[in-house]
Amino acid sequence: MENIIEINNLNFGFDSQKLILKNVNLKVPKGSIYGFLGANGAGKSTTMRLIMGLFNDKTNSVKVFNQNVSEIYPKALQNIGALIDYPAFYDHLSGYDNLKIVCIIKNLNTQTIGEVLETVGLSHARNIKMKKYSLGMKQRLAIALALISNPELLVLDEPVNGLDPNGMLEVRELLIKLNREKGVTVFISSHLLLEIDKMVTHLGIISNGEIKFEGSKEQLNDLYKFQKTKFHLNDAEKFNDVLKSQYETELKSETEISVVTNSQMEIAAINTLLVNNGAQIYQISAAGGLEEWFMEITKQN
Ligand SMILES: Nc1ncnc2c1ncn2[C@@H]1O[C@H](COP(=O)(O)OP(=O)(O)OP(=O)(O)O)[C@@H](O)[C@H]1O
C-alpha cells in the first residue's frame, strides 16, 4: 500500500542535550484515517510540525507524498490541509467572509467556499457572525479552512480538543465522510483514545518521544484483546497457586485472579483447569480493555 506520510528513524531535539523524538518510524497509508495518539508532551505536535515543514528536519527522515519535506514546500501545501494551531478568525465577520479572506490571500477560487461550507455542515450559518458560532461550529470552520484548497491529505492536531460529546461526534462524522466520499487521507492527533478509536483505520501510539505501537485497527484489537483476563471465583488464593506455575497470574482479591492470556483457546483451557480443580467460576471478563492497555503503554517513564 502506498504511504502518503513516511517517517524513518527520526531523531529530533530542540537542542543537542535532549531528544524529543527518538527513532520514530511511522507510515500513514494513502486513504487511511490514521490516529496519532499519546499523552500530553509525548511528541505529537512536534512530529506534525516536522511533517508540515514548520520545524526543520536536517536528517531528511520525513517524507510526504514520497518526497523529502525539505523539497516539497511551499508548493505541496496546496495538497495538504492542516490544522496545527487554531486559526485566527475574525469574530465580527461571518464564516463565509472569514474563508473568503483566506481565499483572496492564497489566491484560491472563492467559488469553492459554498461547497466547503456544505461539506462541513455550515451552509445554514454561512452569513452568521463567528462570535455566535458554538465551539463545534468554529472547529468545523477551522476544518473548512483546511479543506479550501481541496487537499488530498489532512493533518489535524487535536481537532476535538475542548469539544463536548456532540461537537466531537460532528467532527468525527465529518472526517469519516471526507475520507469515504472524497478519499481524503486523515492524519489526526489526540490524547482521547476512545474517541479516536471510533473513526480510525490505523493507529500510532507515541509515548515520551517513542513509538510504542503502530498498525491497523485490526492489529491493535488482536494485541490488546486477550492480554489479561479476570477470573472471578471462590478462594482465589488457592486457585492462583494452581495456575501460577503455568501462567502469568496476579492475585487481585479474595475472589479475583488476573491472568495474561494470548488466545480464546487459552481462556477456555484455564477455565477447564480451574473447574477440574473444584473452582466455582462466577465471571470471566477482559481486564480493562483498550483504554487500560493504552494507559499502560503511554505511562511516562
Ligand atoms: N519549541 C519548543 N522548544 C523546546 N521544547 C519544545 C518545543 N515544543 C515542544 N517542546 C517540548 O517537546 C516535548 C513534546 O511536545 P509536543 O508539543 O510535541 O507534545 P504533544 O504530544 O503534542 O503534547 P500536547 O498534547 O501537550 O500538545 C515536550 O516536552 C515539550 O515541552
Side-chain angles (χ1 to χ4, degrees):
M1 194 187 282
E2 190 188 333
N3 295 317
I4 227 165
I5 300 173
E6 193 162 331
I7 301 182
N8 290 304
N9 308 320
L10 169 69
N11 290 296
F12 179 83
F14 293 99
D15 57 59
S16 54
Q17 310 298 316
K18 191 180 171 216
L19 280 180
I20 298 292
L21 300 175
K22 299 157 202 160
N23 197 30
V24 165
N25 287 284
L26 203 138
K27 289 182 174 58
V28 179
K30 190 177 162 83
S32 63
I33 302 183
Y34 187 113
F36 191 38
L37 288 152
N40 288 337
K44 303 180 297 294
S45 300
T46 305
T47 308
M48 290 188 139
R49 284 170 190 276
L50 283 158
I51 289 168
M52 292 306 298
L54 298 169
F55 290 149
N56 190 10
D57 160 38
K58 296 192 189 98
T59 59
N60 279 338
S61 310
V62 185
K63 285 192 165 61
V64 181
F65 301 123
N66 264 326
Q67 283 176 286
N68 288 332
V69 157
S70 56
E71 292 159 13
I72 60 167
Y73 296 121
K75 201 159 172 273
L77 287 176
Q78 292 275 10
N79 217 2
I80 307 176
L83 180 55
I84 299 280
D85 291 312
Y86 184 73
F89 287 121
Y90 295 103
D91 250 12
H92 62 288
L93 296 181
S94 67
Y96 181 91
D97 284 341
N98 267 287
L99 294 186
K100 190 171 165 191
I101 288 172
V102 175
C103 282
I104 292 167
I105 294 170
K106 293 190 171 177
N107 205 13
L108 297 168
N109 191 342
T110 52
Q111 278 176 352
T112 53
I113 298 175
E115 191 190 324
V116 169
L117 285 172
E118 173 84 38
T119 304
V120 301
L122 285 176
S123 286
H124 67 286
R126 58 185 277 152
N127 297 321
I128 295 175
K129 290 199 169 113
M130 283 237 12
K131 61 182 163 204
K132 297 203 171 147
Y133 277 27
S134 68
L135 203 54
M137 290 165 81
K138 284 184 180 164
Q139 204 64 352
R140 280 185 285 144
L141 193 75
I143 295 172
L145 193 62
L147 288 174
I148 203 87
S149 61
N150 201 19
E152 219 179 307
L153 168 66
L154 272 181
V155 176
L156 308 172
D157 194 6
E158 303 267 4
V160 295
N161 224 3
L163 297 183
D164 62 18
N166 231 356
M168 286 191 201
L169 179 72
E170 286 172 5
V171 171
R172 187 198 325 147
E173 284 178 346
L174 167 61
L175 296 178
I176 291 173
K177 182 170 109 175
L178 285 167
N179 178 258
R180 297 223 176 114
E181 293 176 10
K182 302 199 177 212
V184 177
T185 304
V186 182
F187 183 59
I188 173 174
S189 81
S190 183
H191 58 273
L192 303 171
L193 172 73
L194 293 184
E195 177 54 33
I196 289 298
D197 184 53
K198 291 177 190 153
M199 68 173 111
V200 297
T201 56
H202 292 74
L203 274 162
I205 297 178
I206 187 166
S207 174
N208 205 12
E210 293 175 44
I211 300 291
K212 299 288 186 182
F213 170 84
E214 187 189 44
S216 66
K217 188 72 173 295
E218 289 73 30
Q219 286 169 319
L220 173 80
N221 289 345
D222 281 348
L223 200 69
Y224 82 85
K225 197 156 50 184
F226 302 116
Q227 265 218 330
K228 276 187 191 163
T229 306
K230 287 192 233 177
F231 290 86
H232 299 265
L233 71 183
N234 64 321
D235 204 348
E237 195 172 349
K238 172 179 156 196
F239 294 110
N240 187 41
D241 288 342
V242 172
L243 295 180
K244 71 183 182 197
S245 60
Q246 286 184 58
Y247 299 98
E248 198 182 314
T249 67
E250 197 183 334
L251 184 63
K252 290 281 195 186
S253 72
E254 283 176 12
T255 56
E256 186 187 330
I257 309 169
S258 160
V259 189
V260 175
T261 48
N262 296 303
S263 67
Q264 280 175 321
M265 297 300 289
E266 205 167 63
I267 297 170
I270 294 168
N271 186 39
T272 306
L273 180 63
L274 289 169
V275 172
N276 287 347
N277 277 278
Q280 290 176 322
I281 312 276
Y282 309 135
Q283 192 186 21
I284 301 174
S285 57
L290 189 55
E291 199 165 33
E292 190 173 298
W293 177 80
F294 174 70
M295 297 297 277
E296 195 136 310
I297 66 172
T298 57
K299 265 197 304 231
Q300 300 280 336
N301 45 27

